[in-house]
């Protein structure tokens, strides 16, 4: 990306960051090649990236218009979804039963929230910024609280999206299953919020890129776009992110919380693959499928390139390094690299499975280094047990 710091270095740090953020936003919007995709993502991009609607400190109202689909004959139409519904009922759990009496010290070196090497301090030192032991632990605490805050905001989006999709989807077994997902997402909001509020005492604002994605799928009336956005993209990536954090954290309550959430999320992504495979391969025209394919690619890029924890940068380093330098620190850090690898190794096979990785789009994934994940297992072949045993 264009480094604005040479042009803006004589301006105050806050203004430098603003200009870098604007350039980044324009770059995102200009990179969208398909006009229909731009139509779907553009207004959300303006609201999220330029107007920072998620950061005004006030609630956000998003107009949502979709068609509620009723079926008065109650067909058993999708055995795979009916099976997921049965499993979801049995798999319900109570957030109150997590070991909340665990005392959590976010700076405890014996039980770190994330490993010290999560961020590569040598890159920060190269910029002439030296952090002592306490500051490193504090920064790790900030990064972990930032990630969990984004999970929480994502879960709020998932709760509303699951409710909308339950109304709109045409599969009757999917509606029953969807009711369990609404409950699951409500519980996820509850437990992440409780953890942040009572254990970490910290909440970061929603990241602008995540806001764009949520805004875009909330305001899109087509159920399958909501589904693609939430069940495949956001949840697929979240599942990867939860697993990475589950593996890396030494804090026992957080580990247990993530373990429970991962088991639910595995069902959600499975449902997404199952519903969209049916819909994309049987019910869409080639043009409609292509639009979804392009949209998914742009969203994948939004997520790959832009999740740079700028909110942590503003708190810690604004004025001490440029936003572009921070981006570099994040991209080169081992922990973040592992995050990206796990996230995309979960997402890409799902896109393949639902028919959104045709030979037309493959070169673009190749270009950005994402094709190496093509051969992995999709969510319908991955059980929660395999997911967790991979991680133990
Ligand atoms: Fe969730
Ligand atoms: Fe979910």
């Amino acid at each position: 990306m264009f480094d604005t710091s040479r042009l803006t270095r004589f301006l105050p740090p806050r203004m430098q960051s603003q200009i870098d953020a604007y350039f980044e936003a324009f770059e995102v919007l200009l990179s969208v090649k398909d006009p229909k995709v731009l139509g779907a993502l553009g207004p959300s991009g303006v609201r999220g990236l330029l107007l920072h609607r998620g950061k005004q400190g006030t609630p956000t109202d998003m107009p949502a218009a979709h068609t509620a689909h009723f079926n008065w004959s109650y067909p058993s139409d999708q055995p795979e979804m009916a099976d997921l519904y049965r499993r979801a009922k049995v798999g319900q759990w109570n957030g109150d039963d997590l070991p909340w009496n665990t005392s959590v010290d976010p700076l405890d070196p014996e039980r770190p929230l994330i490993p010290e090497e999560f961020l590569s301090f040598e890159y920060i030192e190269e910029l002439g910024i030296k952090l002592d032991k306490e500051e490193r632990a504090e920064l790790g605490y900030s990064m972990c609280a930032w990630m969990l805050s984004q999970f929480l905001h994502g879960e709020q989006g998932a709760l509303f999206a699951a409710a909308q999709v339950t109304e709109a989807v045409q599969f009757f077994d999917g509606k029953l299953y969807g009711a369990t997902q609404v409950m699951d997402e409500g519980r996820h909001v509850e437990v992440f919020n409780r953890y942040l509020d009572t254990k970490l005492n910290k909440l970061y604002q929603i990241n602008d890129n995540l806001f764009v994605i949520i805004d875009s799928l909330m305001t899109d009336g087509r159920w399958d776009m909501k589904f693609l956005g939430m069940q495949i993209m956001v949840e697929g990536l979240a599942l990867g992110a939860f697993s990475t954090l589950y593996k890396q954290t030494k804090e026992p309550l957080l580990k247990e919380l993530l373990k429970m959430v991962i088991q639910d999320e595995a069902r959600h992504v499975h449902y997404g693959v199952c519903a969209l495979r049916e819909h994309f391969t049987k019910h869409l025209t080639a043009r409609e499928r292509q639009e979804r394919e392009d949209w998914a690619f742009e969203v994948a890029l939004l997520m790959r390139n832009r999740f740079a924890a700028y909110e942590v940068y503003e708190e810690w380093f604004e004025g001490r390094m440029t936003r572009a330098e921070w981006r570099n620190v994040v991209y080169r850090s081992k922990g973040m690299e592992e995050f990206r690898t796990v996230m995309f190794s979960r997402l890409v096979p799902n896109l393949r499975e639902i028919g959104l990785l045709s030979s037309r789009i493959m070169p673009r994934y190749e270009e950005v280094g994402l094709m190496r994940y093509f051969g992995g297992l999709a969510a319908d072949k991955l059980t929660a047990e395999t997911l967790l045993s991979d991680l133990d």
Side-chain angles (χ1 to χ4, degrees):
M1 144 162 189
F2 183 69
D3 183 355
T4 55
S5 54
R6 274 190 307 184
L7 294 176
T8 59
R9 70 193 138 152
F10 300 114
L11 296 172
R14 189 71 256 204
M15 220 185 266
Q16 282 184 29
S17 297
Q18 262 314 325
I19 292 173
D20 184 78
Y22 285 146
F23 264 90
E24 202 178 14
F26 281 124
E27 203 193 35
V28 173
L29 295 176
L30 287 176
S31 74
V32 180
K33 296 197 173 77
D34 184 325
K36 280 199 147 180
V37 175
L38 189 62
L41 273 179
S44 305
V46 170
R47 288 191 285 273
L49 302 174
L50 299 179
L51 303 175
H52 308 291
R53 283 276 170 82
K55 291 186 168 146
Q56 305 302 314
T58 52
T60 312
D61 288 324
M62 296 180 189
H66 56 275
T67 305
H69 177 88
F70 282 81
N71 189 332
W72 312 109
S73 63
Y74 309 93
S76 296
D77 48 2
Q78 295 288 330
E80 200 171 343
M81 293 178 199
D83 184 50
L84 276 169
Y85 176 50
R86 270 188 296 275
R87 281 169 36 203
K89 282 188 293 184
V90 177
Q92 291 298 309
W93 50 281
N94 182 352
D96 289 334
D97 293 340
L98 287 173
W100 291 108
N101 56 2
T102 311
S103 97
V104 177
D105 171 4
L107 301 175
D108 183 352
E110 300 300 312
R111 302 198 296 189
L113 291 167
I114 52 174
E116 205 200 276
E117 64 278 9
F118 190 86
L119 270 182
S120 305
F121 294 106
E122 67 266 29
Y123 300 137
I124 298 180
E125 274 177 20
E126 276 171 21
L127 300 165
I129 300 170
K130 217 166 152 30
L131 299 176
D132 62 27
K133 216 172 159 34
E134 278 95 74
E135 287 171 319
R136 288 178 178 208
E138 280 274 356
L139 182 56
Y141 166 31
S142 294
M143 282 302 289
C144 183
W146 178 82
M147 282 188 286
L148 291 171
S149 301
Q150 303 316 318
F151 293 170
L152 171 59
H153 300 314
E155 294 291 357
Q156 185 180 180
L159 171 61
F160 300 173
Q164 293 185 2
V165 165
T166 303
E167 293 177 357
V169 79
Q170 75 263 33
F171 314 116
F172 206 80
D173 282 320
K175 289 180 186 292
L176 297 184
Y177 166 78
T180 67
Q181 188 176 335
V182 173
M183 182 61 217
D184 291 350
E185 305 298 10
R187 185 169 53 241
H188 299 170
V189 171
E190 173 203 334
V191 296
F192 280 120
N193 184 37
R194 183 165 171 185
Y195 189 80
L196 279 160
D197 188 42
T198 65
K199 301 298 178 184
L200 299 193
N201 304 307
K202 211 166 187 179
L203 175 67
Y204 283 86
Q205 290 183 308
I206 184 168
N207 175 272
D208 290 332
N209 299 286
L210 181 58
F211 181 92
V212 173
I213 296 165
I214 292 178
D215 182 287
S216 164
L217 58 92
M218 280 289 121
T219 52
D220 200 314
R222 299 166 292 182
W223 75 263
D224 66 312
M225 294 299 278
K226 294 180 193 297
F227 225 59
L228 174 60
M230 197 42 85
Q231 303 282 120
I232 301 292
M233 311 295 298
V234 176
E235 306 249 70
L237 288 185
L239 188 54
F242 296 160
S243 321
T244 318
L245 192 56
Y246 171 78
K247 194 169 134 193
Q248 294 186 346
T249 189
K250 295 275 183 288
E251 199 291 283
L253 169 58
L254 179 58
K255 210 174 174 72
E256 186 60 25
L257 183 160
L258 288 166
K259 181 178 160 189
M260 298 309 287
V261 173
I262 287 170
Q263 296 178 26
D264 294 343
E265 297 299 353
R267 282 194 305 272
H268 304 173
V269 186
H270 184 158
Y271 174 49
V273 167
C274 178
L276 289 180
R277 183 172 46 204
E278 172 84 15
H279 186 70
F280 287 173
T281 51
K282 295 191 188 145
H283 306 281
L284 289 187
T285 65
R287 180 69 196 90
E288 287 169 331
R289 204 191 46 72
Q290 268 185 25
E291 186 193 343
R292 273 111 183 124
E293 198 168 69
D294 289 335
W295 189 89
F297 176 75
E298 299 303 341
V299 171
L301 274 197
L302 259 182
M303 305 220 223
R304 191 198 67 142
N305 292 354
R306 329 278 165 178
F307 269 32
Y310 290 127
E311 293 75 15
V312 174
Y313 162 76
E314 284 158 18
E315 181 187 9
W316 276 79
F317 298 113
E318 199 165 51
R320 296 163 80 191
M321 64 170 91
T322 65
R323 210 164 170 269
E325 284 166 339
W326 167 255
R327 213 161 26 240
N328 223 349
V329 168
V330 172
Y331 293 155
R332 289 159 73 197
S333 288
K334 214 174 109 225
M336 291 305 275
E337 172 59 32
E338 190 173 340
F339 249 86
R340 280 197 300 276
T341 303
V342 177
M343 290 197 306
F344 285 99
S345 62
R346 295 270 176 262
L347 174 67
V348 173
N350 292 340
L351 290 172
R352 178 202 68 211
E353 199 54 34
I354 59 176
L356 292 191
L357 275 183
S358 72
S359 52
R360 185 189 69 94
I361 198 92
M362 271 192 205
R364 295 189 72 192
Y365 279 91
E366 187 70 63
E367 224 173 89
V368 295
L370 291 176
M371 273 311 283
R372 62 192 156 126
Y373 306 115
F374 185 78
L377 284 180
D380 57 333
K381 303 278 175 327
L382 270 177
T383 62
E385 293 72 42
T386 348
L387 272 174
L388 289 166
S389 66
D390 268 5
L391 300 170
D392 283 331

